[in-house]
Amino acid sequence: MADAPYAPNSAARSKKRAVSVRADRAGAQIRSRLAIAAICFLAVYAVVGARLVQYGIAEVDNTSRYAAVDPGLAARPDIVDRHGNVLATDIRVASLFGEPRRIVDADEAVEALTSVLPDVDYKSWHRKLTSGAGFVWLRRELTPGQQAKVMALGIPGIGFRTETRRFYPGGPVASHVLGLVNIDNAGIAGLEKYVDDQGLGTLQDLGLDVQTDLAPVRLSIDGRIQHVVRDVLVDGMQRYQAIAAGGVVLNARTGEVVAMVSLPDYDPNDPYNALDKDRLNRMSAGTFEMGSTFKTFTTAMALDSGKVSLGDSFDATRPIRIARHTINDFHGKHRVLSVPEIFIYSSNIGTAKMADVVGIEGHKAFLTRLGLLSRMSTELPEVATPSQPKEWKKINSITISFGHGVSTTPLQTAVAAAALVNGGRLLSPTFLPRDPNEAQALATPVLHPQTSDAMRYLFRLNVEKGSGRSAEVSGYNVGGKTGTAEKVVNGRYSSDKRFNAFLAAFPINDPQYVVLTIIDEPKPEEGARSATAGLNAAPMVNKIIARSAPLLGLTPKFGDNGDAMLVSY
């Protein structure tokens, strides 16, 4: 009984020991869990680190068909002419970059670079090199000489990156056909843009580089004929002091564009002036009133309607007066003219009366059928939409009959003319190869074969006896029609500013090619009294055919004057 007073203290001590044991066990469990968690984290980081090291030392697989690359390295296919001659290709160039975080002295670096590179913007480069960024472009596409000079400076934090640049061996010769690319080698105009629109641009946007052994894109263009056309047009612009000129050679049987030039042009290797207003591609992206070349279509329309024949005549004695307008002839004969005479004398009065026989709706329908009033479909992106009156009235039909009141592109004028001489088949123009069988399947009949026969006869007659004499090339039976259109200045037609054209086909007994030249605001040559199309546009066609026909494999035939083309109605 003596120990009884101490029993409660003993129980308390036992309770404290139990609590202590439980706490120790809980602490041990927590420490164990923390240790396990730490081990897990270390294991995860070890795996991640090991994989990073593995990726860092692994050899990059360059054999994949599509390898992720910088867009600047993306390859483009060569563009070649119909004979395989290279018109556009890729070359590798060095571009200069800086790493501001590694630059020791930005002032010294910029001064050193200024000593070996032209046109350095000191403030801009200094701002870039002091920006603290990891990477900045300084200049793209250096020449090998410039690269060597910069390398000799040995500036830390200045380096080079290899990029792909487009190179055009012919310079400006086919600039409006080929187009150009931007600093990242993406097509932005011409057939370069067309190539991108076929899928190449999407791959480049995704950073996917197609293998560099891409099949070349072959064009219908003949580089030799392209050079001839440009050479003749450059000479013509200078000779006639014109502000612009253009020309196209079109395969009349297939619709292939063999050559097309618009001047002034630009050098796609250095396209600093490509966007200047006067560098417009006038052949497909410009619309013009084509003047008396449109009398070709009016005459064909009248004959094809069956309401007019080659044996018919129209009174061109007096001017036509309508809606306060007077329609006169430039060199009027002031008598009754036959249909062939209306054509070779380029009578506005006679042509207007033929259009009147067909009627307004028939006139509009015929030009629409020939594709002259709607936007042309072809591979070239730069294509303008023709303009016409919102409402055709009789005065509109009359003026349109001789080439005023409707504006269309020179290229589609040539395309429509091909249909007039190839038997009546309209073919959309193409800058890609097209064989005769494919052309036959794509052709749309637009007029009777007899009408085509008659138009070939009239074309030839005009070169023999009319305004197209200076287009004649001995042995090649050239046929054609002149067009001299007064230009609109301040809302009125100007008598001293002209847009001239000559529309030709050869050999006219079985036309293989259509040639069209245009010349804007030509001046009279020394000693000449005027500057009509027969004195400038026609001679340019003469030179183009004389130099091109042998290259196209055509043999001259002497003694065949094409008189057998006369068709009876």
Side-chain angles (χ1 to χ4, degrees):
M1 299 296 293
D3 294 330
Y6 300 98
N9 292 336
S10 176
R13 285 195 295 272
S14 297
K15 188 176 182 180
K16 288 181 179 179
R17 282 196 298 272
V19 171
S20 177
V21 169
R22 286 195 299 270
D24 290 341
R25 288 176 180 171
Q29 289 176 349
I30 292 172
R31 286 191 294 273
S32 176
R33 290 172 181 169
L34 289 174
I36 292 171
I39 291 170
C40 289
F41 276 115
L42 289 173
V44 170
Y45 281 113
V47 171
V48 172
R51 295 296 288 173
L52 289 174
V53 171
Q54 181 182 355
Y55 289 141
I57 65 175
E59 184 175 349
V60 177
D61 180 12
N62 288 321
T63 62
S64 170
R65 176 174 173 82
Y66 298 114
V69 294
D70 182 273
L73 296 174
R76 299 183 64 82
D78 286 353
I79 298 179
V80 300
D81 78 346
R82 65 189 304 115
H83 301 296
N85 300 310
V86 175
L87 301 175
T89 189
D90 281 348
I91 59 174
R92 293 299 174 113
V93 295
S95 290
L96 183 67
F97 70 85
E99 298 174 284
R101 296 171 189 170
R102 296 184 55 215
I103 297 293
V104 178
D105 187 330
D107 291 312
E108 183 179 333
V110 177
E111 287 180 6
L113 292 169
T114 302
S115 68
V116 297
L117 295 176
D119 304 322
V120 170
D121 187 335
Y122 187 96
K123 291 183 178 179
S124 174
W125 285 31
H126 186 274
R127 184 173 61 255
K128 289 181 179 181
L129 294 180
T130 56
S131 65
F135 177 94
V136 292
W137 280 118
L138 294 177
R139 177 163 294 176
R140 312 286 285 273
E141 301 179 355
L142 299 181
T143 67
Q146 291 171 340
Q147 182 186 13
K149 290 178 181 179
V150 174
M151 288 180 65
L153 296 176
I155 305 173
I158 297 296
F160 303 94
R161 190 170 185 176
T162 301
E163 294 189 290
T164 300
R165 177 185 176 182
R166 205 62 165 162
F167 176 65
Y168 303 88
V173 171
S175 56
H176 283 110
V177 173
L178 297 174
L180 69 160
V181 298
N182 62 15
I183 193 70
D184 292 319
N185 216 35
I188 58 174
L191 292 177
E192 292 281 24
K193 187 176 188 304
Y194 167 78
V195 170
D196 280 17
D197 291 344
Q198 303 313 297
L200 181 66
T202 302
L203 293 175
Q204 291 182 339
D205 291 341
L206 294 173
L208 298 176
D209 186 18
V210 185
Q211 287 180 341
T212 55
D213 58 346
L214 288 167
V217 176
R218 187 177 296 270
L219 304 184
S220 61
I221 295 293
D222 187 324
R224 304 167 305 171
I225 311 305
Q226 183 77 16
H227 173 78
V228 167
V229 173
R230 185 176 187 276
D231 191 51
V232 170
L233 295 179
V234 168
D235 176 71
M237 271 190 70
Q238 296 173 348
R239 180 185 299 271
Y240 306 117
Q241 303 173 54
I243 64 172
V248 61
V249 178
L250 185 75
N251 187 315
R253 299 175 177 178
T254 65
E256 294 171 291
V257 178
V258 179
M260 191 178 81
V261 177
S262 176
L263 298 178
D265 52 18
Y266 60 89
D267 186 349
N269 294 309
D270 184 23
Y272 69 94
N273 58 353
L275 296 180
D276 290 356
K277 185 177 179 180
D278 67 336
R279 309 288 159 167
L280 168 76
N281 180 2
R282 288 167 167 79
M283 299 306 293
S284 66
T287 59
F288 307 92
E289 292 185 339
M290 295 299 296
S292 293
T293 55
F294 250 56
K295 293 173 182 172
T296 302
F297 307 119
T298 306
T299 303
M301 172 187 70
L303 296 174
D304 202 61
S305 71
K307 299 177 180 179
V308 176
S309 71
L310 286 179
D312 288 340
S313 298
F314 292 84
D315 188 0
T317 305
R318 298 180 182 85
I320 297 173
R321 291 182 172 83
I322 180 172
R324 295 182 298 176
H325 296 280
T326 300
I327 310 301
N328 228 320
D329 285 341
F330 183 60
H331 289 301
K333 299 299 178 181
H334 306 292
R335 60 178 176 82
V336 173
L337 299 175
S338 67
V339 169
E341 288 177 324
I342 289 171
F343 193 81
I344 67 173
Y345 297 144
S346 201
S347 169
N348 294 335
I349 299 170
T351 304
K353 290 188 174 183
M354 285 195 293
D356 193 38
V357 169
V358 176
I360 298 172
E361 292 304 318
H363 192 179
K364 183 178 180 180
F366 184 80
L367 295 185
T368 301
R369 191 161 75 239
L370 288 181
L372 289 165
L373 302 181
S374 53
R375 190 176 188 272
M376 176 175 53
S377 176
T378 188
E379 298 85 9
L380 208 62
E382 296 81 21
V383 175
T385 301
S387 63
Q388 60 176 306
K390 291 183 179 180
E391 179 185 357
W392 281 49
K393 299 179 181 179
K394 186 171 182 178
I395 182 62
N396 301 120
S397 180
I398 286 176
T399 59
I400 290 169
S401 73
F402 51 81
H404 287 286
V406 160
S407 294
T408 192
T409 70
L411 177 56
Q412 62 194 121
T413 303
V415 169
L420 299 190
V421 299
N422 70 6
R425 299 174 301 113
L426 182 66
L427 286 158
S428 61
T430 181
F431 291 84
L432 303 178
R434 180 189 285 163
D435 63 49
N437 292 332
E438 182 185 1
Q440 182 69 29
L442 293 172
T444 301
V446 290
L447 70 160
H448 298 101
Q450 305 96 302
T451 305
S452 182
D453 292 340
M455 293 311 300
R456 291 199 299 271
Y457 164 72
L458 292 175
F459 263 40
R460 181 60 186 160
L461 186 66
N462 191 49
V463 170
E464 286 184 326
K465 301 180 179 180
S467 59
R469 291 185 182 91
S470 57
E472 174 72 306
V473 180
S474 182
Y476 287 107
N477 268 356
V478 179
K481 180 71 183 77
T482 51
T484 302
E486 294 179 345
K487 293 181 67 174
V488 176
V489 179
N490 297 324
R492 303 189 61 157
Y493 285 104
S494 171
S495 60
D496 59 353
K497 289 189 177 182
R498 302 179 179 89
F499 181 87
N500 293 354
F502 191 82
L503 182 59
F506 76 100
I508 201 62
N509 54 302
D510 185 18
Q512 294 189 40
Y513 298 96
V514 167
V515 181
L516 171 66
T517 59
I518 62 171
I519 186 161
D520 197 354
E521 296 188 19
K523 310 298 186 298
E525 281 194 277
E526 186 175 352
R529 299 179 60 182
S530 66
T532 54
L535 300 175
N536 38 63
M540 292 195 298
V541 166
N542 168 284
K543 293 176 182 178
I544 289 172
I545 294 176
R547 293 173 58 180
S548 298
L551 297 175
L552 292 169
L554 297 179
T555 304
K557 295 180 180 181
F558 299 98
D560 181 5
N561 60 13
D563 286 345
M565 292 301 104
L566 181 60
V567 178
S568 299
Y569 282 80

